[in-house]
């Protein structure tokens, strides 16, 4: 499972409140990613990190910010949650070796914004 | 503009037969292609990947074929088992300015009937 955990696993929050989701990995991977999964959209990249303090935007980054102060932790923050951010959020890490590229996912966080 | 397309939202196959899942892409700069299986309420599970310089990769019951001229890849599962019933996502990895990002298709739901 590539040693990826996410917390919390489930959260219900109200519109307008800030929310932070945590992704933790134990294997010193350089790249970490945050995705959201919604019906009819597959998985869409929100933000990613290529090292401590090095982050960049994905295709659906509006309304989200990230931070990575340690290799093992990648935080996703919704500054002011909206109902459109109700989704399942997945964290991932990547591994590259020779002609192989693999990306592994955490178990997900189900977020409901009421 | 959807760069990775899975045109079949669902597929039904008899146990023991072959399952063939298809994926088309538009960007010739993709470096790797990956397949994932996803059960409800779980994170995507990595199955197999292929480099853009290869045309076939095999791992147990799973084989991925890449046809670069047609910008098409397929996942073959032989023999299919009821436990293979899940949503399958195709993904493509592109390297841009040192970053590595995945683009996902919207998924195909596979049902393997006993």
């Amino acid at each position: 499972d590539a040693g990826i955990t996410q917390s919390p696993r489930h959260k219900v929050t109200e519109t307008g409140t800030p929310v932070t989701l945590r992704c933790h990995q134990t294997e010193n991977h350089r790249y970490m990613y945050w995705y959201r999964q919604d019906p009819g959209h597959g998985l869409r990249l929100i933000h990613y990190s290529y090292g401590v303090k090095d982050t960049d935007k994905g295709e659906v980054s509006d309304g989200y910010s990230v931070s990575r102060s340690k290799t093992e932790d990648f935080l996703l923050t919704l500054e002011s949650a909206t109902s459109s951010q109700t989704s399942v959020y997945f964290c991932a890490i990547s591994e590259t070796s020779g002609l192989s590229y693999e990306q592994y996912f955490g178990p997900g966080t189900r977020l409901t914004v009421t | 503009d959807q760069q990775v397309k899975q045109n079949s939202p669902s597929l039904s196959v008899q146990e023991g037969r072959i399952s063939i899942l298809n994926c088309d892409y538009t960007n010739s700069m993709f470096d790797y292609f990956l397949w994932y299986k996803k059960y409800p309420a779980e994170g995507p599970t990595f199955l197999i990947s292929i480099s853009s310089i290869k045309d076939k990769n095999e791992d147990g019951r799973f084989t991925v074929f890449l046809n670069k001229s047609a910008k098409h890849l397929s996942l073959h599962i032989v023999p299919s088992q009821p436990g293979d019933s899940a949503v399958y996502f195709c993904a493509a990895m592109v390297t841009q300015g040192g970053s590595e990002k995945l683009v996902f298709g919207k998924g195909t739901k596979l049902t393997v009937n006993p």
Side-chain angles (χ1 to χ4, degrees):
Chain A
D1 64 357
I4 305 168
T5 56
Q6 293 183 233
S7 59
R9 294 294 313 280
H10 301 271
K11 186 168 181 68
V12 180
T13 192
E14 293 184 350
T15 298
T17 60
V19 177
T20 295
L21 308 183
R22 179 183 183 237
C23 177
H24 180 78
Q25 55 127 337
T26 58
E27 298 181 3
N28 210 35
H29 296 287
R30 178 184 172 197
Y31 281 88
M32 299 184 75
Y33 305 82
W34 276 108
Y35 294 87
R36 59 179 289 175
Q37 187 196 9
D38 304 288
H41 288 279
L43 287 101
R44 293 180 292 173
L45 181 65
I46 305 171
H47 281 280
Y48 64 98
S49 170
Y50 45 96
V52 172
K53 293 187 170 53
D54 291 323
T55 65
D56 205 348
K57 297 178 180 180
E59 63 179 299
V60 290
S61 59
D62 287 348
Y64 302 94
S65 62
V66 291
S67 65
R68 191 164 179 205
S69 58
K70 299 184 291 184
T71 299
E72 58 266 35
D73 289 323
F74 191 31
L75 305 181
L76 177 70
T77 297
L78 291 66
E79 303 291 347
S80 177
T82 67
S83 59
S84 65
Q85 294 175 312
T86 292
S87 187
V88 182
Y89 291 85
F90 291 102
C91 174
I93 59 89
S94 64
E95 293 182 350
T96 306
S97 174
L99 287 179
S100 171
Y101 177 86
E102 300 170 5
Q103 201 170 105
Y104 294 95
F105 286 78
T109 294
R110 180 172 293 277
L111 177 67
T112 303
V113 183
T114 61
Chain B
D1 178 28
Q2 197 179 348
Q3 296 186 68
V4 177
K5 295 182 181 180
Q6 294 178 256
N7 292 316
S8 298
S10 63
L11 174 68
S12 185
V13 171
Q14 280 303 117
E15 180 179 6
R17 305 296 289 268
I18 184 171
S19 295
I20 300 176
L21 297 138
N22 294 302
C23 182
D24 297 301
Y25 62 96
T26 57
N27 187 348
S28 58
M29 300 303 290
F30 287 132
D31 297 306
Y32 295 91
F33 301 89
L34 297 81
W35 283 96
Y36 288 86
K37 174 174 71 174
K38 188 179 182 305
Y39 296 120
E42 294 184 11
T45 299
F46 171 78
L47 289 174
I48 191 168
S49 65
I50 186 168
S51 166
S52 62
I53 66 171
K54 301 182 75 174
D55 53 22
K56 178 182 175 181
N57 191 25
E58 195 170 354
D59 185 0
R61 295 186 300 116
F62 302 98
T63 302
V64 56
F65 295 92
L66 177 61
N67 182 333
K68 287 183 285 294
S69 61
K71 293 191 174 70
H72 177 84
L73 67 154
S74 60
L75 175 69
H76 293 211
I77 306 174
V78 184
S80 301
Q81 301 171 353
D84 295 330
S85 297
V87 177
Y88 287 76
F89 291 99
C90 164
M93 191 280 269
V94 61
T95 302
Q96 289 179 337
S99 69
E100 300 171 349
K101 296 193 284 188
L102 281 189
V103 179
F104 281 82
K106 294 185 178 182
T108 297
K109 183 176 183 180
L110 173 66
T111 302
V112 180
N113 301 301

